[in-house]
């Protein structure tokens, strides 16, 4: 199935995995829209590459509401909506403001995607060829939990659960699936010991990079018979 000229919206598309997916789909001829929270050099570069960039702060009501209005009224017919925007806040420090942490995690990973799916539903129905897609990027951690990132894991679990519910609601014209990765890319300041321990957690023991997400995303967009499911990209952590 050709994706050329398909309209794909990716939240959090200005860095790391989202940035790579935006460029990959643009290279395939898609009309790619991304959201970004803060200006950064990559935004200007993306614009020169033909990516349409929208500044949206999902934690600010006015900004989110303007974005929802765009999805509801002004967005072109959409082939896919990809929920990649994420925030990774720890809650292991006793000094953590737990109330703020759980609210921020829920806003980014649960409330905003829920509202976007509702707002974009009609534009997605119009953009299918013949079907359209919503893809939730969740996290492997929802299978095992995390004692250091409880709010993060809980909100990503909510995002995972919503995918199945939306798959029921939006069938048969819109497919809704999840991709659940573990380690994809280290941060530049991650030390060697941390990298060694993290790589040892998976059977494959590699840092795969962002292309594995792009590959999974393209697979979902091209598969006409998959909805309400999860693609696990954990390198075999489940068998360790």
């Amino acid at each position: 199935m050709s994706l050329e000229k398909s309209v794909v919206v990716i939240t959090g598309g200005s860095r790391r995995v989202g940035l790579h997916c935006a460029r990959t789909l643009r290279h395939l001829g898609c009309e790619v829209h991304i959201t970004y929270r803060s200006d950064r050099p990559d935004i200007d570069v993306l614009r020169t590459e033909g990516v349409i960039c929208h500044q949206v702060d999902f934690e600010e009501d006015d900004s989110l509401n303007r974005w929802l209005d765009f999805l509801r009224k002004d967005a072109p017919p959409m082939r896919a909506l990809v929920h990649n925007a994420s925030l990774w806040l720890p809650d292991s420090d006793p000094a953590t403001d737990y109330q703020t942490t759980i609210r921020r995690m829920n806003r980014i990973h649960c409330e905003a995607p829920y509202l976007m799916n509702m707002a974009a539903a009609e534009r997605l129905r119009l953009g299918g060829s013949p079907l359209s897609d919503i893809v939730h990027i969740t996290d492997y951690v929802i299978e095992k939990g995390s004692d250091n990132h409880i709010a993060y894991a809980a909100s990503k679990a909510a995002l995972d659960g919503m995918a199945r519910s939306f798959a029921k609601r939006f069938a048969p014209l819109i497919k809704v699936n999840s991709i659940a990765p573990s380690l994809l890319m280290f941060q530049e300041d991650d030390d060697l010991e941390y990298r060694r321990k993290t790589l040892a957690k998976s059977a494959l023991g590699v840092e795969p990079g962002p292309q594995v997400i792009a590959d999974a995303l393209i697979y979902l967009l091209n598969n006409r018979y998959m909805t309400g499911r999860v693609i696990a990209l954990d390198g075999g952590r489940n068998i360790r």
Side-chain angles (χ1 to χ4, degrees):
M1 189 184 303
S2 174
L3 294 174
E4 190 172 3
K5 297 183 180 178
S6 296
V7 176
V8 179
V9 176
I10 303 174
T11 67
S14 68
R15 60 190 301 270
R16 292 173 64 81
V17 171
L19 175 64
H20 183 83
C21 289
R23 283 180 163 149
T24 299
L25 290 170
R26 182 72 188 118
H27 182 72
L28 293 176
C30 295
E31 177 183 316
V32 178
H33 295 245
I34 68 157
T35 71
Y36 67 98
R37 182 172 186 170
S38 306
D39 279 316
R40 51 191 305 113
D42 284 329
I43 299 299
D44 290 335
V45 176
L46 282 171
R47 287 193 171 108
T48 66
E49 295 171 0
V51 175
I52 301 166
C53 303
H54 306 262
Q55 187 167 18
V56 185
D57 187 340
F58 295 140
E59 295 187 73
E60 293 291 334
D61 288 345
D62 288 346
S63 182
L64 176 59
N65 287 333
R66 284 193 298 271
W67 174 242
L68 294 174
D69 282 342
F70 170 79
L71 294 177
R72 192 179 297 112
K73 302 172 184 177
D74 300 322
M78 294 162 52
R79 177 64 180 77
L81 171 60
V82 182
H83 294 296
N84 171 73
S86 188
L87 191 61
W88 196 58
L89 296 180
D91 43 28
S92 54
D93 189 332
T96 298
D97 182 342
Y98 300 123
Q99 192 172 59
T100 297
T101 297
I102 189 65
R103 284 177 176 171
R104 295 186 71 191
M105 294 292 91
N106 280 332
R107 183 64 175 248
I108 299 298
H109 303 142
C110 184
E111 182 180 346
Y114 169 85
L115 294 173
M116 280 186 272
N117 287 355
M118 293 298 194
E122 186 57 31
R123 311 310 292 171
L124 284 160
R125 291 187 184 99
L126 292 172
S129 58
L131 304 177
S132 53
D133 286 84
I134 297 173
V135 180
H136 292 200
I137 308 297
T138 62
D139 197 297
Y140 164 78
V141 74
I142 66 178
E143 288 191 22
K144 301 188 73 172
S146 170
D147 54 349
N148 292 320
H149 295 83
I150 296 171
Y152 172 84
S155 59
K156 283 287 191 175
L159 184 62
D160 172 71
M162 279 199 302
R164 286 183 289 279
S165 296
F166 275 115
K168 286 187 175 185
R169 182 161 185 153
F170 290 160
L173 296 180
I174 304 172
K175 299 182 283 111
V176 188
N177 293 288
S178 296
I179 301 173
S182 59
L183 167 74
L184 294 174
M185 306 165 66
F186 286 114
Q187 301 284 350
E188 290 183 4
D189 57 354
D190 290 335
D191 62 41
L192 290 177
E193 181 61 17
Y194 172 79
R195 294 177 186 233
R196 184 190 65 78
K197 288 181 178 180
T198 303
L199 291 174
K201 291 179 181 179
S202 70
L204 296 181
V206 297
E207 176 191 7
Q211 185 60 39
V212 294
I213 291 281
D215 290 342
L217 177 57
I218 293 167
Y219 169 78
L220 289 174
L221 299 186
N222 284 324
N223 192 307
R224 296 181 58 183
Y225 200 57
M226 183 175 179
T227 194
R229 287 296 186 178
V230 180
I231 294 180
L233 297 177
D234 56 31
R237 285 196 179 198
N238 63 311
I239 57 175
R240 272 307 212 190

